[in-house]
Amino acid sequence: MNELKDATRQETMIQQQLIDRGIRDELVIAAFRRVPRDRFFPEGSKHEAFADRAAPIGHGQTISQPYMTALMTQRLDLQKDHRVLEVGTGSGYHTAILAQLAGEIFTIDRVKPLLDEAWERLMELGIRNVHFRHGDGAIGWEDSAPFDRILIAAGAPVLPETMLMSQLADGGIAVLPVGTLEKQMLIEVRRQGDQLISTDICSCRFVKLLGLAGWTE
């Protein structure tokens, strides 16, 4: 009965928070239907899973609002043969969504307990096309580059151009927040040869991107 109730709440979330707000990519919507969002919340806060807001997951980190996760995913325009770098594994929820849509996901987080919990959740769900790394996501994953797509789920003070130029494939797309701690802009970046072409998407607010290409601790 609880599983049926959660499935109904998840479908309501998808309809009201994604479809009604303009998420139109059927593959993205299908991925959200396949991944049970409540599985990525601690037992004591599962009631928050389908709420229209970000939620804390411990260690000063958050799981993004469902709409923001969907919007970022849609803007990546993922294909089944894509290799994707995700900076900021967090709960592993967005990782699981990406894994439904792309060939290989390389996800990195500097918070080891969160990374371990995310690994366990994805193993329980039978997701096997994800590589995990504990480390400074702000410098990317150089020995596995280039990537067709890069998703950064933490806000950098400026665009990390060096990392994007060295690790984003020519013709590739990156989606990330950039700005101050109080005001950030979600940006889509396309690499065209030796140029990075940026397009503003919407205002947003993410936790800080810590590390060499981000904020200092």
Side-chain angles (χ1 to χ4, degrees):
M1 181 64 72
N2 284 340
E3 288 185 5
L4 180 59
K5 183 179 179 181
D6 287 341
T8 302
R9 292 175 68 202
Q10 177 154 310
E11 185 58 35
T12 300
M13 175 197 81
I14 290 168
Q15 181 63 52
Q16 295 180 353
Q17 299 180 40
L18 275 58
I19 298 171
D20 289 354
R21 291 184 185 170
I23 300 299
R24 294 287 179 261
D25 189 319
E26 292 293 339
L27 294 177
V28 171
I29 293 167
F32 271 77
R33 289 193 169 115
R34 286 195 296 271
V35 178
R37 184 172 166 88
D38 57 301
R39 296 278 290 273
F40 295 83
F41 281 71
E43 200 61 44
S45 60
K46 286 187 182 293
H47 62 284
E48 295 279 343
F50 307 108
D52 185 18
R53 56 181 175 270
I57 56 173
H59 304 278
Q61 304 300 302
T62 60
I63 180 171
S64 294
Q65 172 194 27
Y67 172 74
M68 185 59 67
T69 302
L71 178 63
M72 295 175 81
T73 306
Q74 181 169 265
R75 294 299 291 245
L76 284 173
D77 189 23
L78 293 165
Q79 308 297 322
K80 268 298 182 185
D81 60 345
H82 280 167
R83 301 170 75 253
V84 181
L85 171 63
E86 179 192 34
V87 175
T89 312
S91 70
Y93 178 67
H94 207 160
T95 318
I97 296 290
L98 298 172
Q100 309 298 311
L101 299 165
E104 278 187 289
I105 313 301
F106 297 77
T107 188
I108 183 168
D109 204 296
R110 61 190 291 119
V111 183
K112 188 63 161 58
L114 289 180
L115 193 72
D116 291 343
E117 290 171 7
W119 181 85
E120 290 177 4
R121 291 178 181 125
L122 268 63
M123 292 302 103
E124 289 172 1
L125 291 171
I127 296 171
R128 298 291 186 269
N129 60 332
V130 178
H131 308 273
F132 294 82
R133 173 175 284 186
H134 175 232
D136 180 3
I139 62 173
W141 197 322
E142 189 173 10
D143 54 351
S144 292
F147 300 99
D148 302 292
R149 301 290 186 264
I150 295 178
L151 173 76
I152 302 179
V158 295
L159 193 69
E161 294 184 2
T162 301
M163 190 270 274
L164 293 177
M165 282 301 301
S166 64
Q167 298 188 35
L168 183 62
D170 192 8
I173 299 172
V175 175
L176 67 156
V178 175
T180 67
L181 300 181
E182 293 75 29
K183 186 177 182 181
Q184 299 168 356
M185 178 63 67
L186 188 66
I187 294 175
E188 175 188 303
V189 180
R190 292 177 180 261
R191 181 179 173 192
Q192 297 179 3
D194 59 358
Q195 289 187 306
L196 296 173
I197 311 299
S198 298
T199 303
D200 291 352
I201 301 173
C202 66
S203 297
C204 61
R205 188 164 186 179
F206 281 77
V207 297
K208 294 189 294 185
L209 177 68
L210 298 175
L212 189 62
W215 298 90
T216 56
E217 293 192 66

